[in-house]
Amino acid sequence: MVIAMFNIDLLRSFFDIPCSFIISNQLTAWHCAAAWVPDNLAGQIFFSVFAFILGLCLGSFANVCIYRLPMARSIVWPRSHCPHCDHLIAWYDNIPLLSIILLGGKCRSCKGAISKRYFLIELLTGILFLAVFLRYGLDARTAVYWMVVTGLVIGTFVDFDYMIIPDQITIGGIFAGLICSVVFPSLHGADSLFAGFRASFIGMLAGGMSLWLVGELGRLAFRKEAMGMGDVKLLAALGAFLGWQAIVFTIMFASLAGAIAGVAMVLTGNKSMGSKIPFGPYLALAALVWMLGGHDWWMTYLQWLHSLSFYAG
Protein backbone atom coordinates (compact mmCIF):
# COMPACT_ATOMS: atom_id res chain seq x y z
CA MET A 1 0.00 0.00 0.00
CA VAL A 2 1.42 3.36 -1.06
CA ILE A 3 0.27 6.66 0.42
CA ALA A 4 0.84 9.74 -1.72
CA MET A 5 1.95 12.90 0.09
CA PHE A 6 1.66 16.21 -1.79
CA ASN A 7 3.13 19.67 -1.29
CA ILE A 8 0.57 22.42 -1.88
CA ASP A 9 2.95 24.39 -4.12
CA LEU A 10 3.39 21.36 -6.34
CA LEU A 11 -0.39 20.99 -6.50
CA ARG A 12 -0.74 24.60 -7.55
CA SER A 13 1.79 24.33 -10.35
CA PHE A 14 0.52 20.94 -11.49
CA PHE A 15 -3.12 21.94 -11.70
CA ASP A 16 -2.59 25.48 -12.99
CA ILE A 17 -2.84 24.61 -16.69
CA PRO A 18 -4.84 21.39 -17.02
CA CYS A 19 -7.42 21.94 -14.27
CA SER A 20 -9.92 23.79 -16.47
CA PHE A 21 -9.58 21.09 -19.10
CA ILE A 22 -10.13 18.34 -16.52
CA ILE A 23 -13.16 20.09 -15.03
CA SER A 24 -14.81 20.69 -18.41
CA ASN A 25 -14.23 17.10 -19.53
CA GLN A 26 -15.53 15.64 -16.28
CA LEU A 27 -18.64 17.79 -16.44
CA THR A 28 -19.33 16.49 -19.95
CA ALA A 29 -19.08 12.85 -18.97
CA TRP A 30 -20.47 12.73 -15.44
CA HIS A 31 -22.33 15.79 -14.21
CA CYS A 32 -25.79 14.64 -15.25
CA ALA A 33 -29.01 13.72 -13.49
CA ALA A 34 -30.83 10.41 -13.58
CA ALA A 35 -32.15 9.66 -17.06
CA TRP A 36 -35.70 8.86 -15.98
CA VAL A 37 -37.39 8.11 -12.68
CA PRO A 38 -41.14 7.47 -12.40
CA ASP A 39 -42.93 10.66 -11.39
CA ASN A 40 -45.48 8.85 -9.21
CA LEU A 41 -44.86 7.25 -5.83
CA ALA A 42 -46.19 3.82 -6.84
CA GLY A 43 -43.79 3.62 -9.78
CA GLN A 44 -40.84 4.74 -7.68
CA ILE A 45 -41.63 2.13 -5.02
CA PHE A 46 -42.08 -0.62 -7.61
CA PHE A 47 -38.77 -0.03 -9.37
CA SER A 48 -36.94 0.53 -6.08
CA VAL A 49 -38.20 -2.79 -4.72
CA PHE A 50 -37.30 -4.47 -8.01
CA ALA A 51 -33.75 -3.08 -7.83
CA PHE A 52 -33.36 -4.23 -4.23
CA ILE A 53 -34.67 -7.77 -4.90
CA LEU A 54 -32.51 -8.10 -8.01
CA GLY A 55 -29.53 -7.07 -5.89
CA LEU A 56 -30.39 -9.73 -3.32
CA CYS A 57 -30.47 -12.38 -6.05
CA LEU A 58 -27.16 -11.24 -7.50
CA GLY A 59 -25.76 -11.11 -3.98
CA SER A 60 -26.70 -14.78 -3.58
CA PHE A 61 -24.91 -15.50 -6.85
CA ALA A 62 -21.91 -13.48 -5.61
CA ASN A 63 -21.75 -15.73 -2.54
CA VAL A 64 -21.39 -18.75 -4.83
CA CYS A 65 -18.63 -17.05 -6.82
CA ILE A 66 -16.75 -15.94 -3.69
CA TYR A 67 -16.75 -19.51 -2.41
CA ARG A 68 -15.95 -21.33 -5.65
CA LEU A 69 -13.80 -19.09 -7.86
CA PRO A 70 -10.64 -19.25 -5.68
CA MET A 71 -10.87 -23.06 -5.78
CA ALA A 72 -11.27 -23.06 -9.60
CA ARG A 73 -14.65 -24.75 -9.27
CA SER A 74 -17.64 -24.29 -11.55
CA ILE A 75 -20.06 -21.58 -10.45
CA VAL A 76 -22.89 -23.39 -12.24
CA TRP A 77 -22.56 -27.03 -11.20
CA PRO A 78 -23.17 -28.68 -8.77
CA ARG A 79 -26.09 -26.92 -7.13
CA SER A 80 -25.63 -25.07 -3.87
CA HIS A 81 -25.09 -27.41 -0.95
CA CYS A 82 -24.39 -27.27 2.77
CA PRO A 83 -20.63 -26.93 3.45
CA HIS A 84 -21.02 -29.19 6.50
CA CYS A 85 -23.05 -32.17 5.25
CA ASP A 86 -23.09 -31.58 1.45
CA HIS A 87 -26.89 -31.73 1.48
CA LEU A 88 -28.28 -30.07 -1.67
CA ILE A 89 -30.13 -26.88 -0.80
CA ALA A 90 -33.73 -26.80 -2.09
CA TRP A 91 -34.93 -23.69 -3.89
CA TYR A 92 -37.17 -22.72 -0.98
CA ASP A 93 -34.15 -22.82 1.33
CA ASN A 94 -32.16 -20.63 -1.04
CA ILE A 95 -34.31 -17.49 -1.09
CA PRO A 96 -32.03 -14.50 -0.37
CA LEU A 97 -32.25 -13.21 3.21
CA LEU A 98 -35.60 -14.85 3.91
CA SER A 99 -34.42 -18.47 3.98
CA ILE A 100 -31.56 -17.75 6.38
CA ILE A 101 -33.94 -15.93 8.72
CA LEU A 102 -36.59 -18.69 8.62
CA LEU A 103 -33.98 -21.42 9.16
CA GLY A 104 -32.45 -19.55 12.07
CA GLY A 105 -29.07 -19.42 10.31
CA LYS A 106 -28.77 -23.23 10.27
CA CYS A 107 -28.84 -25.99 7.65
CA ARG A 108 -32.23 -27.71 7.49
CA SER A 109 -30.55 -31.13 7.24
CA CYS A 110 -27.65 -31.16 9.72
CA LYS A 111 -28.38 -27.98 11.71
CA GLY A 112 -24.86 -26.76 11.00
CA ALA A 113 -24.41 -23.00 11.34
CA ILE A 114 -24.59 -20.91 8.18
CA SER A 115 -22.09 -18.06 8.12
CA LYS A 116 -23.66 -14.65 8.73
CA ARG A 117 -21.53 -13.35 5.90
CA TYR A 118 -23.85 -14.93 3.32
CA PHE A 119 -26.70 -12.85 4.70
CA LEU A 120 -24.61 -9.68 4.88
CA ILE A 121 -23.31 -10.00 1.31
CA GLU A 122 -26.84 -10.45 -0.04
CA LEU A 123 -28.05 -7.44 1.96
CA LEU A 124 -25.05 -5.32 0.91
CA THR A 125 -25.56 -6.10 -2.77
CA GLY A 126 -29.27 -5.34 -2.52
CA ILE A 127 -28.58 -1.97 -0.91
CA LEU A 128 -25.95 -1.09 -3.54
CA PHE A 129 -28.29 -2.01 -6.40
CA LEU A 130 -30.96 0.21 -4.87
CA ALA A 131 -28.47 3.06 -4.41
CA VAL A 132 -27.39 2.84 -8.07
CA PHE A 133 -31.02 2.95 -9.22
CA LEU A 134 -31.80 5.94 -7.01
CA ARG A 135 -28.74 7.71 -8.45
CA TYR A 136 -29.25 6.99 -12.17
CA GLY A 137 -32.89 5.94 -12.58
CA LEU A 138 -33.93 3.82 -15.56
CA ASP A 139 -30.83 4.27 -17.67
CA ALA A 140 -28.20 2.15 -19.41
CA ARG A 141 -25.72 3.22 -16.75
CA THR A 142 -27.86 1.58 -14.08
CA ALA A 143 -27.67 -1.87 -15.67
CA VAL A 144 -23.96 -1.54 -16.39
CA TYR A 145 -23.14 -0.34 -12.87
CA TRP A 146 -25.17 -3.18 -11.39
CA MET A 147 -22.78 -5.49 -13.21
CA VAL A 148 -19.82 -3.50 -11.88
CA VAL A 149 -21.20 -3.66 -8.33
CA THR A 150 -21.56 -7.44 -8.52
CA GLY A 151 -17.99 -7.84 -9.74
CA LEU A 152 -16.66 -5.53 -7.04
CA VAL A 153 -18.49 -7.41 -4.28
CA ILE A 154 -17.06 -10.71 -5.51
CA GLY A 155 -13.54 -9.35 -5.94
CA THR A 156 -13.58 -7.63 -2.55
CA PHE A 157 -14.44 -10.66 -0.46
CA VAL A 158 -12.16 -13.01 -2.41
CA ASP A 159 -9.33 -10.52 -1.86
CA PHE A 160 -10.11 -10.36 1.86
CA ASP A 161 -9.98 -14.15 2.09
CA TYR A 162 -7.15 -15.09 -0.27
CA MET A 163 -5.26 -11.85 -1.13
CA ILE A 164 -6.07 -12.43 -4.81
CA ILE A 165 -8.63 -11.02 -7.24
CA PRO A 166 -9.83 -13.64 -9.76
CA ASP A 167 -9.03 -13.05 -13.43
CA GLN A 168 -12.70 -13.67 -14.16
CA ILE A 169 -13.38 -10.38 -12.38
CA THR A 170 -10.39 -8.32 -13.54
CA ILE A 171 -9.64 -9.47 -17.10
CA GLY A 172 -13.30 -10.26 -17.63
CA GLY A 173 -14.10 -6.77 -16.36
CA ILE A 174 -11.69 -5.17 -18.83
CA PHE A 175 -13.37 -6.85 -21.81
CA ALA A 176 -16.85 -6.19 -20.38
CA GLY A 177 -15.99 -2.51 -19.90
CA LEU A 178 -14.75 -2.14 -23.46
CA ILE A 179 -17.80 -3.91 -24.89
CA CYS A 180 -20.30 -1.98 -22.75
CA SER A 181 -18.64 1.28 -23.76
CA VAL A 182 -19.16 0.43 -27.42
CA VAL A 183 -22.78 -0.62 -26.90
CA PHE A 184 -23.50 2.29 -24.53
CA PRO A 185 -21.10 5.14 -25.42
CA SER A 186 -23.12 7.42 -23.13
CA LEU A 187 -21.24 5.76 -20.24
CA HIS A 188 -18.42 8.15 -21.12
CA GLY A 189 -20.52 11.05 -22.36
CA ALA A 190 -19.74 9.98 -25.95
CA ASP A 191 -22.14 10.02 -28.88
CA SER A 192 -20.60 7.38 -31.15
CA LEU A 193 -19.43 3.78 -30.86
CA PHE A 194 -15.84 4.67 -31.65
CA ALA A 195 -15.77 7.56 -29.18
CA GLY A 196 -17.13 5.27 -26.48
CA PHE A 197 -14.49 2.62 -27.21
CA ARG A 198 -11.72 5.23 -27.29
CA ALA A 199 -12.75 6.67 -23.93
CA SER A 200 -12.93 3.19 -22.43
CA PHE A 201 -9.55 2.18 -23.87
CA ILE A 202 -7.90 5.34 -22.55
CA GLY A 203 -9.46 4.70 -19.15
CA MET A 204 -8.19 1.12 -19.16
CA LEU A 205 -4.64 2.26 -19.98
CA ALA A 206 -4.78 5.07 -17.41
CA GLY A 207 -5.96 2.69 -14.69
CA GLY A 208 -3.59 -0.16 -15.40
CA MET A 209 -0.47 1.83 -16.17
CA SER A 210 -0.83 4.30 -13.29
CA LEU A 211 -1.19 1.63 -10.62
CA TRP A 212 1.52 -0.51 -12.22
CA LEU A 213 3.84 2.51 -12.03
CA VAL A 214 2.91 3.09 -8.38
CA GLY A 215 3.67 -0.56 -7.67
CA GLU A 216 7.03 -0.41 -9.44
CA LEU A 217 8.05 2.74 -7.55
CA GLY A 218 6.99 1.08 -4.31
CA ARG A 219 8.99 -2.04 -5.16
CA LEU A 220 12.10 0.04 -5.83
CA ALA A 221 11.63 2.12 -2.67
CA PHE A 222 10.81 -0.73 -0.26
CA ARG A 223 12.65 -3.54 -2.10
CA LYS A 224 9.60 -5.78 -1.99
CA GLU A 225 6.36 -6.13 -3.88
CA ALA A 226 4.16 -3.13 -3.09
CA MET A 227 1.22 -3.80 -5.41
CA GLY A 228 -0.28 -7.03 -6.70
CA MET A 229 -1.10 -7.45 -10.38
CA GLY A 230 -4.68 -8.23 -9.42
CA ASP A 231 -5.01 -4.65 -8.18
CA VAL A 232 -3.49 -3.34 -11.41
CA LYS A 233 -5.92 -5.34 -13.54
CA LEU A 234 -8.85 -4.32 -11.34
CA LEU A 235 -8.10 -0.62 -11.78
CA ALA A 236 -7.70 -1.18 -15.52
CA ALA A 237 -11.18 -2.73 -15.56
CA LEU A 238 -12.57 0.18 -13.55
CA GLY A 239 -10.96 2.60 -16.00
CA ALA A 240 -12.63 0.77 -18.88
CA PHE A 241 -16.03 1.21 -17.24
CA LEU A 242 -15.66 4.62 -15.58
CA GLY A 243 -13.13 6.41 -17.81
CA TRP A 244 -9.86 8.11 -17.05
CA GLN A 245 -11.63 10.80 -14.99
CA ALA A 246 -12.23 8.32 -12.17
CA ILE A 247 -8.67 6.99 -11.91
CA VAL A 248 -6.94 9.71 -9.87
CA PHE A 249 -9.87 9.90 -7.47
CA THR A 250 -9.95 6.13 -7.08
CA ILE A 251 -6.23 5.86 -6.31
CA MET A 252 -6.26 8.75 -3.84
CA PHE A 253 -9.44 7.66 -2.05
CA ALA A 254 -8.38 4.00 -1.93
CA SER A 255 -4.94 4.92 -0.58
CA LEU A 256 -6.47 7.08 2.14
CA ALA A 257 -9.08 4.44 3.08
CA GLY A 258 -6.46 1.69 3.05
CA ALA A 259 -4.12 3.75 5.22
CA ILE A 260 -6.84 4.45 7.78
CA ALA A 261 -7.87 0.78 7.84
CA GLY A 262 -4.25 -0.35 8.12
CA VAL A 263 -3.54 1.94 11.06
CA ALA A 264 -6.75 0.83 12.75
CA MET A 265 -5.84 -2.84 12.34
CA VAL A 266 -2.36 -2.26 13.78
CA LEU A 267 -3.75 -0.33 16.75
CA THR A 268 -6.32 -3.06 17.47
CA GLY A 269 -3.72 -5.81 17.18
CA ASN A 270 -5.24 -7.46 14.11
CA LYS A 271 -2.16 -6.68 12.02
CA SER A 272 1.46 -5.86 12.74
CA MET A 273 3.60 -3.19 11.10
CA GLY A 274 4.75 -4.41 7.71
CA SER A 275 1.88 -6.87 7.32
CA LYS A 276 0.24 -7.11 3.92
CA ILE A 277 -3.33 -5.99 3.55
CA PRO A 278 -5.46 -6.39 0.42
CA PHE A 279 -5.77 -3.19 -1.61
CA GLY A 280 -8.53 -4.40 -3.92
CA PRO A 281 -11.36 -3.79 -1.41
CA TYR A 282 -10.34 -0.15 -1.07
CA LEU A 283 -10.19 0.28 -4.85
CA ALA A 284 -13.68 -1.21 -4.95
CA LEU A 285 -14.87 1.15 -2.22
CA ALA A 286 -13.43 4.15 -4.06
CA ALA A 287 -15.12 3.10 -7.30
CA LEU A 288 -18.46 2.70 -5.51
CA VAL A 289 -18.09 6.13 -3.93
CA TRP A 290 -17.30 7.59 -7.35
CA MET A 291 -20.37 6.01 -8.95
CA LEU A 292 -22.68 7.04 -6.13
CA GLY A 293 -21.69 10.69 -5.87
CA GLY A 294 -17.95 10.90 -5.29
CA HIS A 295 -17.62 12.61 -8.65
CA ASP A 296 -19.34 15.66 -7.16
CA TRP A 297 -16.84 15.74 -4.28
CA TRP A 298 -13.99 15.41 -6.75
CA MET A 299 -15.29 18.27 -8.85
CA THR A 300 -15.46 20.48 -5.74
CA TYR A 301 -11.87 19.49 -4.88
CA LEU A 302 -10.60 20.26 -8.40
CA GLN A 303 -12.36 23.62 -8.43
CA TRP A 304 -10.78 24.41 -5.05
CA LEU A 305 -7.33 23.56 -6.45
CA HIS A 306 -8.04 25.69 -9.49
CA SER A 307 -8.99 28.61 -7.23
CA LEU A 308 -5.68 28.19 -5.35
CA SER A 309 -3.71 28.40 -8.58
CA PHE A 310 -5.79 31.38 -9.68
CA TYR A 311 -5.18 33.36 -6.50
CA ALA A 312 -1.51 32.30 -6.37
CA GLY A 313 -0.89 33.38 -9.92
Side-chain angles (χ1 to χ4, degrees):
M1 178 179 57
V2 179
I3 306 172
M5 300 183 65
F6 298 98
N7 179 284
I8 192 65
D9 293 325
L10 292 177
L11 281 173
R12 288 174 179 171
S13 62
F14 179 79
F15 280 97
D16 186 29
I17 296 176
C19 197
S20 298
F21 169 78
I22 293 173
I23 291 173
S24 62
N25 275 269
Q26 296 211 1
L27 284 170
T28 300
W30 279 90
H31 197 63
C32 45
W36 182 79
V37 176
D39 56 5
N40 60 84
L41 182 60
Q44 294 173 10
I45 293 175
F46 172 80
F47 284 108
S48 296
V49 170
F50 171 80
F52 181 68
I53 292 177
L54 180 62
L56 296 182
C57 295
L58 269 294
S60 180
F61 172 71
N63 274 322
V64 174
C65 295
I66 293 166
Y67 180 74
R68 297 187 183 186
L69 284 180
M71 297 184 287
R73 295 173 57 183
S74 170
I75 60 174
V76 179
W77 186 263
R79 284 168 41 198
S80 297
H81 58 275
C82 173
H84 304 293
C85 66
D86 289 331
H87 178 77
L88 292 179
I89 299 175
W91 67 268
Y92 49 80
D93 286 338
N94 210 20
I95 302 173
L97 297 189
L98 184 61
S99 292
I100 296 179
I101 294 173
L102 294 177
L103 291 171
K106 297 179 181 179
C107 171
R108 182 184 293 274
S109 176
C110 70
K111 307 303 179 185
I114 300 172
S115 173
K116 294 181 177 63
R117 197 171 81 167
Y118 291 110
F119 181 92
L120 295 175
I121 288 174
E122 291 172 355
L123 180 60
L124 171 65
T125 311
I127 292 172
L128 290 174
F129 269 51
L130 176 59
V132 169
F133 168 72
L134 293 177
R135 172 77 177 174
Y136 297 102
L138 295 177
D139 185 80
R141 291 169 296 176
T142 300
V144 172
Y145 295 156
W146 281 345
M147 178 170 59
V148 174
V149 164
T150 305
L152 291 177
V153 169
I154 295 169
T156 291
F157 286 94
V158 172
D159 204 12
F160 274 136
D161 290 342
Y162 297 95
M163 295 285 290
I164 61 170
I165 306 175
D167 285 341
Q168 292 92 331
I169 301 300
T170 56
I171 296 178
I174 290 172
F175 284 106
L178 292 170
I179 293 170
C180 287
S181 298
V182 171
V183 178
F184 305 112
S186 60
L187 286 173
H188 302 277
D191 55 6
S192 69
L193 303 183
F194 176 74
F197 176 81
R198 180 180 59 192
S200 179
F201 189 77
I202 292 173
M204 178 197 70
L205 290 180
M209 294 302 294
S210 60
L211 203 57
W212 175 82
L213 180 60
V214 169
E216 284 299 297
L217 292 175
R219 183 179 62 83
L220 293 174
F222 302 112
R223 301 196 179 278
K224 63 179 181 179
E225 183 178 301
M227 191 71 62
M229 283 304 297
D231 301 324
V232 173
K233 291 180 285 187
L234 177 62
L235 192 57
L238 291 173
F241 276 107
L242 306 180
W244 65 267
Q245 296 93 338
I247 297 304
V248 176
F249 172 86
T250 300
I251 293 176
M252 291 179 63
F253 188 97
S255 298
L256 177 61
I260 294 172
V263 170
M265 285 186 281
V266 170
L267 293 177
T268 56
N270 293 318
K271 293 283 185 181
S272 60
M273 292 297 294
S275 297
K276 290 185 177 181
I277 64 171
F279 191 51
Y282 306 105
L283 291 173
L285 176 62
L288 291 171
V289 170
W290 174 269
M291 289 189 290
L292 296 176
H295 167 264
D296 299 332
W297 304 347
W298 184 238
M299 289 301 304
T300 301
Y301 175 66
L302 287 179
Q303 290 166 348
W304 175 72
L305 289 178
H306 187 50
S307 68
L308 288 182
S309 65
F310 176 80
Y311 288 117

